[in-house]
């Protein structure tokens, strides 16, 4: 059964860094644009970043631009989100999602083909 699995979450101090990973099993990510969403306590799930099928195009929500970097290694069937200069407001469960297609489109969480179960990132002293 096709699955996505996030890993790499944890607790970090403000200003610190984490890299979260999204690994696919039972299917190849080669045919999918990959999105990262996050859901903070009491808030709606929001789109954070996206990478196109080839990796040639990326997108970021304004609040993380310049701090987060999305990348993919299709040979490892894995997508990464490098998060630097983390802030309290980055605290959330981070989810990856796959959407079949070449390009990133809207952060429409109702229009994804596969979801992971999430990994918790906590930014605190």
């Amino acid at each position: 059964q096709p699955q996505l699995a996030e890993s790499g979450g944890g607790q970090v101090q403000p200003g610190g860094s984490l890299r979260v990973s999204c690994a696919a099993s039972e299917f190849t990510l080669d045919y999918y644009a990959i999105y990262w969403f996050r859901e903070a306590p009491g808030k709606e799930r929001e789109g954070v970043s996206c990478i196109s099928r080839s990796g040639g195009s990326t997108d970021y929500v304004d609040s993380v631009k310049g701090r987060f970097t999305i990348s993919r290694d299709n040979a490892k069937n894995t997508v990464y989100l490098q998060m630097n200069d983390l802030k309290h407001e980055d605290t959330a469960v981070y989810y990856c999602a796959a959407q079949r297609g070449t390009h990133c489109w809207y952060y429409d969480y109702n229009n994804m083909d596969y979801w992971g179960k999430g990994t918790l990132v906590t930014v605190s002293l």
Side-chain angles (χ1 to χ4, degrees), residues 22-122:
C22 171
S25 58
E26 304 300 323
F27 77 107
T28 177
L29 292 180
D30 289 7
Y31 302 104
Y32 294 83
I34 305 300
Y35 295 74
W36 284 97
F37 290 81
R38 65 185 178 186
E39 189 169 330
K43 295 188 177 181
E44 286 192 1
R45 192 170 296 189
E46 67 165 342
V48 175
S49 183
C50 178
I51 188 165
S52 63
R53 175 179 162 181
S54 69
S57 177
T58 59
D59 185 74
Y60 301 91
V61 67
D62 285 346
S63 59
V64 308
K65 281 181 181 176
R67 300 189 297 121
F68 289 14
T69 303
I70 191 171
S71 61
R72 65 191 299 159
D73 185 339
N74 284 352
K76 294 184 177 179
N77 221 20
T78 301
V79 173
Y80 305 97
L81 186 67
Q82 176 68 43
M83 303 182 291
N84 298 329
D85 190 22
L86 283 159
K87 305 177 186 299
H88 288 291
E89 51 265 39
D90 295 317
T91 295
V93 178
Y94 283 72
Y95 300 89
C96 64
Q99 183 184 60
R100 191 171 180 99
T102 301
H103 303 294
C104 295
W105 295 106
Y106 300 108
Y107 293 97
D108 181 358
Y109 53 71
N110 292 313
N111 198 28
M112 298 293 138
D113 294 295
Y114 300 108
W115 282 94
K117 294 183 179 180
T119 185
L120 176 63
V121 172
T122 303

Side-chain angles (χ1 to χ4, degrees), residues 8-12 18 20 119-123:
Q11 183 171 347
V12 63
L18 276 178
V20 291
T119 185
L120 176 63
V121 172
T122 303
V123 184

